[in-house]
Amino acid sequence: MTPGGGPAAGVHAVAVLAFDGVQLLDVTGPVEVLTTANAYGAHYDVRLVSVTGADIRTSANVRVGVDGSWDQVPGRLGTFLVPGRREWRHAVSDPDLIAATVDLAGRAKRVASVCAGAFLLAEAGTLNGRRAATHWQLAREMAAAYPEVTVETDPLFVRDGDVITSAGVSAGIDLSLALVEEDYGPDVARDVARELVVFMARPGGQSQFSARLTPRDATHLVVRRVMNLVGADPGAVHDLDALARGAGVSTRHLSRLFRAQTGMTVGQYVESVRLEAARALLEAGTDPVDAVAGQAGFGSAESMRRAFQQALGISPTAYRARFRTTGRAADV
């Protein structure tokens, strides 16, 4: 620290804004990652602050001490991080909390949020015109409440310029490891991941949940049967005719029923499951891309490459390489 209270030269100042009802892991996960990084060559000055400077009580009813009030944070920030609470309407209705969010976001080189913290950034106007992520269970609510924000329902975290938003609580750890990698390189991020015994290699574009579970509202037995057929063997023949025969219905009936139940076509669902299978094979194994394409049911490496480019914006080869780091597959 400098005599005036600001960060010393070369120090990356981080402010984390805590408040009553905040999810405990939203706060402690990123703080643990960043402070652990200091043992491996990073230079983070992490300050946990609240609106009034008083300690806060989390959603787990655990009291957490803070370093002071938000307006005591001096000068420019390297990173401003906003955790969230499930009852997001309560958080965004607090004018003092929003004022603190607006001010700290305006003073930060980089702004990040964890889970429902994205609602505070949206209320502050920071996400207007940007893509953003939040917990999948809250995505529809966020899209409805903040139409100026393009809400991504699937990625673990999304970067749009100097603003990064992440999904549910554990995704804050993935986000923080990615920030460490960006600031100090992949070796430091890997050291932190090993120290904390967490999974290093979940890039931002990785899905929040399995493609096999995506259509959670599908309850019709025919649709479930088709989903089970595809999920059991993604590499098998799963054209519409074959699946309709397997389900004992006409292709027309299956198409109409599947879209009504899941919001997607049968073909879209098949490709999403095959994409997930290919990603798992690329992440865990060393088989050539051609072999992975065949095992996952794409038929050819070119077909798989097109699916990867459309869904993730990168090639299968680049995905495999990037998965060895915290890479930002969901970056703009």
Side-chain angles (χ1 to χ4, degrees), residues 10-28:
V11 170
H12 187 116
V14 180
V16 181
L17 181 60
F19 47 92
D20 285 336
V22 71
Q23 294 199 157
L24 180 61
L25 191 58
D26 281 14
V27 176
T28 57

Side-chain angles (χ1 to χ4, degrees), residues 63-77:
R63 183 177 293 278
V64 174
V66 302
D67 297 309
S69 63
W70 67 270
D71 54 0
Q72 293 174 323
V73 176
R76 296 285 294 172
L77 293 168

Side-chain angles (χ1 to χ4, degrees), residues 282 287-302 304 316-317 320:
L282 290 169
D287 287 348
V289 170
D290 286 346
V292 170
Q295 294 169 51
F298 282 103
S300 71
E302 177 58 25
M304 186 170 75
T317 301
R320 168 176 274 167

